[in-house]
Amino acid sequence: MPGLTQRILYIHPDINTLISSEKSCVIAFEKANAVVVLNANQSILKLMTFDTDNVPFAALSKCDFLPVYEAASGAEKVTVVCASEKETLIPDNLFDESMLASYINFNYGQLNGEMVLYDKIEGAGITQVYALPQHLYAYVKEAFPQAALRNRKSIMIELCRNLNEKSKSGFVFVKEGQFDICVFAYKKLLLCNTFSYPSAQDFIYYLMHTLKQLNCDPDTMPLYLYGTIEEESAVYSYIIKYIRHVSFLKKPENIILGATEVPYHYYYDLFTV
């Protein structure tokens, strides 16, 4: 079983001075990679990634997780953010904590030993129910027993809702071969969905079809992007061809971060946690 390949994207030039400050850490697990953000007094000390060479984290041994644990060592506050392949949104007035497994079973079929959790989404009147592999959940609880555990889609909905000001705004989080989209109107969530796309043409088809369903005008509605997308990409070229007002989400003003190996918008959501 391969171990984790670590890549350091940023180290604060005065890290030895700031290392004694009270630190917080955000660890985000995707299917086969992890991102660690170490923060002190709103200054990013370290930004690093861990890659499993396409081996799902759920298949790794406890020892394989050791580099992630060491990267977060010394942090007084830890937040673990997990993506999920099984998740669904439930209106708060219909939510019943005793029905968690049923919500997932209804949408995805029988659970396969996963742990079902939920996030209350601040101010939105909805709850995100999601399943995590038991192995990953057990590691997180053992390694970081005091950590707050959040679903990444929950964070997306909260931060995009706070950014929504106009009658309709679209937000797209781009990952390799997949993207999440949220559309809001006056801070009300109209749609939240995930699409897999094998090509840039598929990406723009799903995006434009979604906007058409919601009667969004591509000439007037702003679309905000973050995640692993760059201006030189074919996906971005298609987006600006069909949508007039497109921009990348900028680094939050209260976060201090020097030049990194990747654009700030790659990990925008993790800087806001």
Side-chain angles (χ1 to χ4, degrees), residues 51-267:
D51 186 77
T52 68
D53 194 25
N54 292 321
V55 177
F57 269 103
L60 297 182
S61 70
K62 188 183 300 184
C63 291
D64 290 320
F65 284 97
L66 188 59
V68 178
Y69 175 79
E70 291 176 342
S73 63
E76 286 78 10
K77 176 186 176 184
V78 177
T79 302
V80 177
V81 179
C82 292
S84 173
E85 296 182 352
K86 297 179 180 180
E87 54 191 17
T88 188
L89 291 167
I90 306 295
D92 281 350
N93 62 340
L94 299 177
F95 176 73
D96 182 345
E97 188 174 352
S98 68
M99 298 289 290
L100 293 179
S102 298
Y103 296 139
I104 298 297
N105 288 339
F106 179 80
N107 287 280
Y108 297 97
Q110 195 67 27
L111 285 164
N112 188 27
E114 297 101 330
M115 176 65 67
V116 183
L117 308 165
Y118 69 92
D119 291 342
K120 289 286 186 180
I121 299 179
E122 188 70 28
I126 51 179
T127 298
Q128 172 81 324
V129 179
Y130 59 100
L132 291 182
Q134 182 67 43
H135 186 67
L136 178 59
Y137 177 79
Y139 163 74
V140 170
K141 299 306 289 184
E142 180 178 340
F144 309 104
Q146 303 303 318
L149 183 60
R150 299 293 312 278
N151 175 261
R152 198 158 188 177
K153 186 78 68 62
S154 304
I155 293 171
M156 178 184 185
I157 294 170
E158 286 182 357
L159 75 87
C160 295
R161 180 179 180 273
N162 290 333
L163 293 171
N164 171 238
E165 296 176 351
K166 299 192 175 184
S167 58
K168 283 183 182 176
S169 300
F171 300 85
V172 174
F173 173 35
V174 183
K175 298 165 280 187
E176 184 177 355
Q178 194 176 71
F179 72 94
D180 300 330
I181 179 170
C182 290
V183 179
F184 288 85
Y186 298 107
K187 298 191 180 299
K188 180 180 179 181
L189 180 65
L190 303 181
L191 175 139
C192 180
N193 209 346
T194 299
F195 295 94
S196 296
Y197 65 96
S199 69
Q201 292 92 333
D202 292 300
F203 183 106
I204 198 64
Y205 170 80
Y206 293 133
L207 176 60
M208 297 306 295
H209 181 68
T210 298
L211 299 183
K212 183 178 180 180
Q213 285 184 313
L214 297 174
N215 295 317
C216 298
D217 185 348
D219 288 328
T220 60
M221 189 197 79
L223 185 72
Y224 301 95
L225 309 174
Y226 72 100
T228 52
I229 179 173
E230 299 183 15
E231 291 183 349
E232 298 78 14
S233 67
V235 165
Y236 184 78
S237 297
Y238 274 110
I239 293 173
I240 60 175
K241 180 179 180 180
Y242 293 101
I243 299 176
R244 184 179 297 273
H245 302 286
V246 180
S247 58
F248 293 105
L249 287 176
K250 295 180 173 60
K251 176 180 66 66
E253 292 184 0
N254 64 320
I255 296 296
I256 302 171
L257 175 62
T260 70
E261 292 187 20
V262 296
Y264 294 142
H265 65 261
Y266 267 38
Y267 306 116

